[in-house]
Amino acid sequence: MASESQGDAPEQPNEVLNGETAESETIAVNGTSTEDQWHDPPTDRAGFLADLQEFHNQRGTTLDPNPKVHGKPVDLYDLFQDINARGGYDKVSAEKLLWRKIAADFNLGQQHAAASAFGAKTVYYKNLAAYAIKRVHKQEPPPREILEDITAKGADLLNRTRENYRPSQRYEPLPNGNETEGSEDERSKTPRSDRMDLDDPASGERRSRGLRQAPPQRVLFQPDISSSRQNRQQQSQGIGQQLGSQSNQSYTSNPSMGGNNSLFFAAKHDPRTSMPLTFRSLATPSSHPSEFQKKSQQIQEARFASAGGAAPPKPQYMAPGTGFAGPNIYLRTLNALRSGIEEEVAFALHHLVKISHERGDKFRFQAFVGFAEGLIEQGLKIGSLFYDVDWKISWLGYASDEVRNIEILNGIDGTPDIIDRVSKLTALDVSTELQTHTFQHRLQKCTEAGLVLRNMSMLTENAGYLSEQWPLRDLLSIILSLPPLDCVIELKHYALDLVEQLTKFWTFEPDDPLYTLLLKQFEDGQDRGAILTTLRAMCRISMNLEEPNRLQGIPVKIIASLMDWVLLDDDELCEACLDFFYQYTAVSENVAMMLDKVGEGAIPLHSFIRSLARLLLHNSGSTVSRRLVAESQEAEPNDDVPEVPQDLLEQLITISEPERSSTWLRTCFEEHAESYMTQIKLWQAYQNRFQLFSNPSKPLLQAAEFIKNISATFTGTSAQVVTTENPPKFIIKGIRPRRAPKDTKGRPYIPCLWTNPSNKQDQATKETCGSFYNKPEQLFTHIVKDHIGLTWDASEGKWEFDKLRRHAKELKYRFSCHWADCRHFGKGIDSPFKVGMHVKTHLPSKSDTATEKCKHSTAKRRKVSDKEASIKADKRFEKYIGKDLPPIYQEFGWNNTAMDERGNATGLPLTAVLVLRNLARTVPRAVSGVGSDGSTKAWMEQLFVPMMEQFYHVVAVNKVLAPNVYDLLETIDKSMDS
């Protein structure tokens, strides 16, 4: 019997009783067969929407066919397919921030990513979750009371039941109709530090840009005050569902019933079918507070109406502590930070680290007055951990006597003597290995304040706001002046990262405290990360201002160290140093100082220029480019079908049709897309060649079959009809005769190019022999016997030269070479032997001696194969038989360096050539303006003339960097002329 309550349908169509499977039956449920209920979702859009509507009608829920999130429509079909492709609702909800990515894919808005994600999740939860459980996972979805009727919070819908799930209490709206702000986590107690999970930077909407995360805080004990007792409704629902499930499923023990199994045995031996109990949900203050309050109000109004009086007016005030969740997280952290209470400050810093890491692009200091000042005040407490001092900020300026106190910082114009003040402080005894819990807790709060400032400065608006805070410059100077202990290394790195983001809004004088402390990072030279960050910070000075970055007052020792670091095999450090020198060498005063110190040996300027020249080919790769010299040429086509050599003809006779015609076509014809032959010409050539050898056992092909066999042999050919001519012409498109036939293995035959010397009057009309032979030996025998006239004496085993010589003498005939256009013997000679030996020079040879001569006596002795000999013959005779000439290219080898997507130079080679160009430009101004020893030409000859050959080599082999090197060479010429 079907249950009256929702969600009590059987999970499987077939029942399992006592371990045996019942016979398959079709059970009607709500007028629909079980097989129809468990079918897969339709794949087409119209069928899917119709099936979804029918599902909601049967379930008794309302389907929103056109849902919207922030006014933007959401396609239910596309959303269903996308979530199922990702593994379903439970898997998507388990992965952090995945709903935000899905909302972004559906273009639901980027400004309110969290609200858009929850809106997309709610659309799926209300309209598609139960449908997916039924159609995709083949399970009965949970009742609507714990699914569609509650908000889309939590996951694990596949395992949700009335027993294991209890809806959380909702917050009622305010009397003015506004919803309470803050998430569920913000309305509850403050999360503990060890429970905070930072988002994966690769999965969020905003990339972390390398943000550092705060160290985990200590775990605070918070007791669990939630009640473990079950109310009566939960107990009654559990018993009702247990009895209902026992009527349709196999009996199992229930832990909630304790050790009493009497119900199990009673139900097992009862032959009657158990009737499931029907329970109605009852609204109580604990289970449904809003519904209970609504019904209570209706009862009260009904009582007043029955008594003839009006209902009392609703109170216009709000009970303290109810209906209001407090300000949002931003205001809460701001108030907590400014309160000065230790616990509140720890709470604020704890949450600000996460906010600045995840939502730093939306959190601006200008919108929250006092936020940056509170973080700076918290950071100033770092001084009291290492010195006997309590830093305070005064906003009265130097006119007040208050700022003369060593512990009072000037908040209006900064404190120029901050380094002297720190040096006069009394240092505390701080252990480098072990610190107290109080010290570590205070240090952690200062580090978190520095981390928040560092993360927030990544946004340009926040960086501009912080650059106007003079106490921040004092704070950075204090942090960089701390003792060199391991416990403050992290805070110092945060300070340097913050300086890197703010120096583009600042200008420095040589005696500026912060500028001096930045230069001190180079003097230590122990922390590579600090050196890199400092170099980048100094290169960004006054980047957003009109005043140039002059980088004055840098000690000579630091300049020499930076030049030495360029020699290291560290591309990142080398690039940072070259960026520094690119700005440093643009100022003539700096170059003049370098020239003055070269003679003293303090600055290795010559070796530095050699290092820059070496970097012009840094990480170059070998590439080859080609330039077209001559275009391809096609040889004149051969209109006549070539004769079949005798040995090939003997092989073709033995082959049966249609293989014989296919072999003949492959040996005498070739594919050519632009050529064609008439069908009648091909058919006649086929008949003329094999008509004499046809017999009843091996008949020739019929004309139609022969034409079809041509297309089967050459797949690129096709039979066509030319209708433009009268009468129409039937052709085979894509075929032409070969200039020389090939054997069955694809090797070309060697043509005999011996001309007929009989007609000496008309040399232009001489015709060649036209015979083809497969091997050079056969061709040689043919020439000696048929053209020269020698006979073979079989008894003696030699050629009869004497007999031929006597006969020629009687006829007054002189022997000569008539091979093509050969004129070796001129008017002829009397020796046929010499002519025969000369003929061998026109034929391809397979002997080892000929191979060694061809290789200039450097190749190993090997036997030339028939295929190689045929290739040599093909190349030797292509002048006479014709051959398509491929295009001719000229190749150029390059050693190109790195380039961007537009083909322009980039990386270390580009920065190196720019530094060299700056030096070539500023050396004349440095010599003339400052009065350095020596002339401009002398300095240019010392610095650049020894490297000119290297520069020309780079121009010749590095096509990417060549334009920049040309500018360098032009600058060198102008400087030397000046």
Side-chain angles (χ1 to χ4, degrees):
M1 179 179 296
S3 175
E4 297 179 3
S5 61
Q6 295 288 340
D8 293 334
E11 295 184 357
Q12 297 179 354
N14 298 330
E15 298 180 354
V16 180
L17 300 176
N18 297 329
E20 298 180 359
T21 305
E23 297 181 357
S24 176
E25 297 180 357
T26 303
I27 304 174
V29 179
N30 296 330
T32 307
S33 64
T34 307
E35 297 178 356
D36 294 338
Q37 281 192 341
W38 301 96
H39 65 80
D40 294 333
T43 56
D44 59 310
R45 184 182 297 271
F48 169 80
L49 295 177
D51 186 59
L52 180 62
Q53 183 64 55
E54 183 181 357
F55 174 81
H56 278 275
N57 293 339
Q58 295 178 1
R59 185 173 173 81
T61 53
T62 303
L63 172 66
D64 186 3
N66 299 310
K68 293 183 179 180
V69 177
H70 298 320
K72 298 182 179 180
V74 180
D75 193 303
L76 292 178
Y77 178 77
D78 294 340
L79 182 62
F80 181 80
Q81 299 296 336
D82 185 84
I83 299 301
N84 286 343
R86 299 175 186 269
Y89 177 88
D90 290 350
K91 188 173 182 181
V92 171
S93 300
E95 185 172 349
K96 198 173 186 67
L97 296 182
L98 186 54
W99 280 107
R100 289 195 182 186
K101 185 177 183 303
I102 295 172
D105 294 342
F106 279 81
N107 194 21
L108 299 182
Q110 296 290 340
Q111 296 183 352
H112 304 284
S116 300
F118 188 75
K121 182 178 180 182
T122 302
V123 169
Y124 186 91
Y125 184 85
K126 298 288 187 181
N127 299 282
L128 300 171
Y131 179 80
I133 296 174
K134 183 86 171 184
R135 295 289 186 259
V136 178
H137 300 284
K138 308 302 181 184
Q139 296 183 16
E140 192 66 31
R144 56 179 295 181
E145 290 82 1
I146 59 174
L147 190 60
E148 287 90 350
D149 292 350
I150 61 177
T151 59
K153 290 187 178 294
D156 198 18
L157 298 183
L158 296 176
N159 299 321
R160 180 180 292 185
T161 61
R162 284 195 176 100
E163 290 80 4
N164 59 18
Y165 182 78
R166 179 181 179 183
S168 59
Q169 296 183 359
R170 301 180 182 179
Y171 281 82
E172 294 299 323
L174 300 178
N176 56 7
N178 296 327
E179 294 288 338
T180 58
E181 296 182 358
S183 63
E184 184 177 1
D185 293 337
E186 297 167 0
R187 291 193 296 262
S188 62
K189 59 186 179 181
T190 302
R192 294 180 293 180
S193 301
D194 61 331
R195 298 287 299 277
M196 184 182 71
D197 297 329
L198 293 178
D199 295 342
D200 185 7
S203 63
E205 293 179 343
R206 168 183 175 266
R207 304 303 178 190
S208 63
R209 297 168 291 184
L211 301 180
R212 296 186 177 92
Q213 301 179 4
Q217 296 181 347
R218 65 183 186 277
V219 180
L220 300 178
F221 172 75
Q222 295 181 352
D224 188 6
I225 61 175
S226 60
S227 176
S228 60
R229 297 178 57 189
Q230 290 185 335
N231 54 29
R232 296 180 178 179
Q233 179 184 2
Q234 292 177 333
Q235 293 179 357
S236 61
Q237 290 179 355
I239 297 174
Q241 292 185 358
Q242 180 183 6
L243 293 177
S245 60
Q246 289 176 355
S247 63
N248 297 322
Q249 300 178 358
S250 61
Y251 293 99
T252 56
S253 60
N254 189 349
S256 64
M257 299 179 62
N260 188 6
N261 294 326
S262 60
L263 180 61
F264 172 82
F265 292 103
K268 182 176 180 181
H269 292 88
D270 190 1
R272 295 176 299 176
T273 304
S274 301
M275 298 292 292
L277 298 179
T278 302
F279 293 94
R280 182 170 57 88
S281 178
L282 181 61
T284 62
S286 60
S287 62
H288 297 285
S290 59
E291 189 69 19
F292 179 80
Q293 182 180 2
K294 182 179 179 180
K295 291 185 177 181
S296 300
Q297 185 177 359
Q298 293 176 356
I299 295 173
Q300 187 177 5
E301 291 177 355
R303 288 178 180 176
F304 279 98
S306 61
K314 297 181 180 179
Q316 299 298 325
Y317 61 89
M318 187 182 350
T322 60
F324 182 66
N328 57 29
I329 187 63
Y330 303 106
L331 295 178
R332 291 173 63 187
T333 53
L334 173 61
N335 296 332
L337 184 65
R338 302 290 291 177
S339 66
I341 303 174
E342 293 295 330
E343 292 77 5
E344 294 294 327
V345 172
F347 164 81
L349 293 174
H350 167 72
H351 282 276
L352 283 175
V353 169
K354 185 175 182 180
I355 292 173
S356 63
H357 175 69
E358 297 179 352
R359 308 176 187 175
D361 55 343
K362 299 179 181 180
F363 190 15
R364 291 170 173 80
F365 284 130
Q366 294 179 351
F368 301 93
V369 180
F371 226 138
E373 292 79 358
L375 292 172
I376 295 173
E377 292 176 359
Q378 183 61 34
L380 288 174
K381 295 181 180 181
I382 190 66
S384 60
L385 296 178
F386 299 92
Y387 301 100
D388 186 12
V389 65
D390 185 13
W391 297 110
K392 300 294 182 182
I393 300 176
S394 174
W395 303 97
L396 301 178
Y398 281 109
S400 174
D401 297 337
E402 184 180 7
V403 298
R404 298 178 182 178
N405 188 348
I406 194 174
E407 298 183 357
I408 304 300
L409 304 177
N410 186 2
I412 298 179
D413 301 318
T415 308
D417 59 342
I418 185 64
I419 298 179
D420 296 337
R421 294 190 180 190
V422 173
S423 62
K424 297 177 182 179
L425 296 176
T426 302
L428 301 180
D429 185 13
V430 179
S431 174
T432 59
E433 298 179 356
L434 186 64
Q435 292 88 20
T436 62
H437 178 269
T438 303
F439 178 89
Q440 188 66 26
H441 179 64
R442 294 172 60 189
L443 177 62
Q444 182 179 355
K445 290 195 296 183
C446 296
T447 304
E448 288 180 347
L451 176 59
V452 173
L453 288 171
R454 181 259 187 195
N455 290 349
M456 298 298 294
S457 66
M458 295 297 174
L459 192 63
T460 305
E461 291 83 350
N462 290 337
Y465 182 85
L466 291 175
S467 64
E468 300 175 357
Q469 303 293 326
W470 282 94
L472 180 60
R473 299 181 67 161
D474 295 339
L475 171 62
L476 296 174
S477 301
I478 293 172
I479 294 176
L480 296 179
S481 302
L482 293 175
L485 300 177
D486 294 341
C487 58
V488 296
I489 291 179
E490 183 179 4
L491 181 58
K492 287 185 177 182
H493 277 281
Y494 293 160
L496 291 175
D497 290 342
L498 184 57
V499 172
E500 179 184 352
Q501 301 300 325
L502 301 182
T503 49
K504 56 186 177 182
F505 302 99
W506 289 340
T507 57
F508 291 102
E509 297 296 332
D511 57 347
D512 189 276
L514 185 57
Y515 187 73
T516 304
L517 291 171
L518 289 177
L519 295 178
K520 189 177 179 182
Q521 304 299 320
F522 301 124
E523 297 178 358
D524 298 338
Q526 300 296 329
D527 193 337
R528 175 181 176 274
I531 293 174
L532 286 173
T533 308
T534 305
L535 283 172
R536 288 193 290 263
M538 298 191 68
C539 292
R540 286 171 170 242
I541 294 177
S542 69
M543 182 184 295
N544 291 6
L545 305 178
E546 296 181 358
E547 185 176 353
N549 182 15
R550 307 189 67 85
L551 293 175
Q552 295 181 349
I554 301 179
V556 177
K557 183 179 179 181
I558 294 179
I559 299 298
S561 299
L562 294 177
M563 290 183 178
D564 294 338
W565 291 342
V566 175
L567 300 174
L568 299 177
D569 188 14
D570 189 339
D571 290 353
E572 188 177 5
L573 180 59
C574 182
E575 185 175 3
C577 293
L578 291 182
D579 290 338
F580 169 82
F581 278 113
Y582 173 69
Q583 299 190 33
Y584 186 80
T585 55
V587 182
S588 58
E589 291 81 359
N590 297 337
V591 177
M593 186 274 295
M594 295 170 62
L595 296 179
D596 292 339
K597 299 300 179 180
V598 169
E600 301 176 3
I603 294 181
L605 186 58
H606 295 82
S607 61
F608 177 63
I609 292 179
R610 288 195 296 270
S611 301
L612 295 177
R614 174 182 57 84
L615 291 175
L616 297 180
L617 293 176
H618 179 71
N619 286 341
S620 60
S622 299
T623 57
V624 177
S625 62
R626 300 194 303 173
R627 183 175 65 89
L628 181 64
V629 178
E631 296 182 354
S632 60
Q633 298 179 359
E634 288 190 4
E636 296 181 0
N638 184 20
D639 297 333
D640 299 330
V641 179
E643 293 292 332
V644 179
Q646 186 62 30
D647 58 340
L648 178 59
L649 182 60
E650 294 175 357
Q651 297 180 24
L652 294 176
I653 293 173
T654 60
I655 303 175
S656 302
E657 294 292 351
E659 184 62 29
R660 179 172 61 183
S661 62
S662 298
T663 306
W664 174 71
L665 289 171
R666 283 191 293 266
T667 56
C668 297
F669 300 89
E670 63 181 356
E671 290 189 59
H672 190 267
E674 303 299 330
S675 302
Y676 71 91
M677 292 185 66
T678 60
Q679 298 180 10
I680 187 63
K681 185 176 182 179
L682 287 169
W683 169 246
Q684 290 176 355
Y686 169 69
Q687 279 191 327
N688 294 337
R689 177 52 57 194
F690 299 105
Q691 184 67 40
L692 298 176
F693 307 102
S694 64
N695 52 63
S697 61
K698 292 184 178 180
L700 298 180
L701 292 177
Q702 297 298 324
E705 296 179 357
F706 174 74
I707 298 302
K708 293 180 180 179
N709 194 34
I710 295 176
S711 299
T713 305
F714 300 108
T715 57
T717 61
S718 61
Q720 300 180 5
V721 180
V722 181
T723 58
T724 57
E725 299 184 8
N726 191 14
K729 183 186 295 185
F730 296 86
I731 65 172
I732 299 295
K733 182 70 175 179
I735 190 174
R736 69 179 181 182
R738 291 185 182 274
R739 301 178 184 91
K742 291 187 176 183
D743 61 6
T744 56
K745 297 181 179 180
R747 297 172 297 186
Y749 277 85
I750 306 173
C752 179
L753 303 179
W754 197 274
T755 59
N756 185 7
S758 59
N759 189 359
K760 300 181 180 180
Q761 307 264 333
D762 188 6
Q763 295 291 336
T765 59
K766 291 190 299 183
E767 296 182 356
T768 59
C769 174
S771 301
F772 293 95
Y773 294 90
N774 194 19
K775 296 182 179 180
E777 296 87 353
Q778 297 175 356
L779 179 57
F780 178 76
T781 302
H782 161 72
I783 294 174
V784 172
K785 186 176 181 180
D786 297 338
H787 296 297
I788 297 179
L790 285 172
T791 57
W792 179 258
D793 187 359
S795 61
E796 296 292 335
K798 62 180 182 179
W799 297 98
E800 296 179 346
F801 290 101
D802 296 337
K803 180 178 179 180
L804 180 61
R805 189 184 302 109
R806 290 193 301 269
H807 181 66
K809 188 176 182 181
E810 293 176 358
L811 298 177
K812 297 181 180 182
Y813 175 80
R814 297 179 66 83
F815 299 97
S816 181
C817 179
H818 299 281
W819 182 273
D821 53 355
C822 179
R823 299 293 183 267
H824 181 70
F825 293 107
K827 295 181 179 180
I829 59 176
D830 297 331
S831 174
F833 174 77
K834 293 183 179 180
V835 175
M837 297 302 294
H838 168 73
V839 167
K840 291 184 176 180
T841 60
H842 297 294
L843 306 180
S845 177
K846 294 167 41 180
S847 63
D848 296 338
T849 305
T851 302
E852 291 183 0
K853 290 181 179 179
C854 181
K855 299 295 183 180
H856 305 286
S857 301
T858 58
K860 296 182 179 179
R861 290 181 175 269
R862 63 181 181 85
K863 186 176 181 180
V864 180
S865 62
D866 293 340
K867 185 176 182 180
E868 291 176 324
S870 64
I871 294 176
K872 292 180 181 179
D874 191 23
K875 292 182 178 180
R876 177 171 295 190
F877 301 123
E878 65 185 17
K879 175 181 178 182
Y880 305 102
I881 64 177
K883 187 175 182 180
D884 296 340
L885 299 179
I888 301 176
Y889 294 94
Q890 184 179 7
E891 295 185 351
F892 300 91
W894 302 95
N895 292 330
N896 293 329
T897 52
M899 58 182 176
D900 56 13
E901 62 276 2
R902 292 181 292 182
N904 298 327
T906 185
L908 286 177
L910 176 62
T911 313
V913 73
L914 293 179
V915 174
L916 290 170
R917 189 187 64 180
N918 279 357
L919 287 172
R921 286 179 178 176
T922 53
V923 164
R925 296 199 299 267
V927 174
S928 60
V930 185
S932 299
D933 296 336
S935 63
T936 300
K937 187 175 182 180
W939 277 111
M940 297 299 294
E941 290 179 352
Q942 292 182 29
L943 298 176
F944 294 99
V945 171
M947 308 309 301
M948 295 299 291
E949 184 177 355
Q950 177 70 11
F951 297 154
Y952 291 137
H953 174 71
V954 173
V955 171
V957 300
N958 193 347
K959 182 171 62 175
V960 176
L961 198 64
N964 304 94
V965 182
Y966 279 132
D967 294 341
L968 171 63
L969 295 175
E970 184 179 358
T971 305
I972 293 174
D973 293 339
K974 291 181 179 180
S975 299
M976 295 187 67
D977 294 340
S978 63

